[in-house]
Amino acid sequence: MPRVTSKGQVTIPKEIREELGIEPGDEVTFEPTDGGYAIRKEAPTTDSGADPFETYRGSAESDETMPERMRRLRGEYPRAVDSDVDGGPRESDRDPNTGAEE
């Protein structure tokens, strides 16, 4: 049985957290019932009460794959694999297991 700490904290049992979908950082409320209180997971909100994710809904719709999108966002471009672009060894000249020059 969970105990209340000196700070007023209590551990919600794992089975209940999983059933309610409660994860670290989530907000919960305690609602009075005839038999005591019910715990409920709250939807994420900002200080103003708005949904913080609403602004971003649909913004990820794209034909790009995730690696392509990450390279674009980072300003990276695929490196030349079989060409000697920088004067160094080509990827095809390296051991695929160690990365060392062959």
Side-chain angles (χ1 to χ4, degrees), residues 18-39:
E18 288 176 347
E19 186 173 331
L20 294 175
I22 297 173
E23 297 180 1
D26 285 348
E27 295 180 0
V28 296
T29 58
F30 296 91
E31 298 179 5
T33 66
D34 291 338
Y37 284 86
I39 184 172

Side-chain angles (χ1 to χ4, degrees), residues 1-68:
M1 169 156 280
R3 295 179 188 220
V4 178
T5 69
S6 60
K7 293 182 178 183
Q9 300 170 331
V10 65
T11 300
I12 302 169
K14 181 179 179 183
E15 305 82 41
I16 295 172
R17 290 191 320 264
E18 288 176 347
E19 186 173 331
L20 294 175
I22 297 173
E23 297 180 1
D26 285 348
E27 295 180 0
V28 296
T29 58
F30 296 91
E31 298 179 5
T33 66
D34 291 338
Y37 284 86
I39 184 172
R40 298 198 193 289
K41 177 181 174 178
E42 289 294 309
T45 60
T46 62
D47 290 340
S48 68
D51 181 347
F53 304 107
E54 188 61 37
T55 303
Y56 304 104
R57 291 202 201 289
S59 64
E61 294 174 4
S62 171
D63 291 334
E64 290 178 301
T65 65
M66 185 56 67
E68 290 169 339

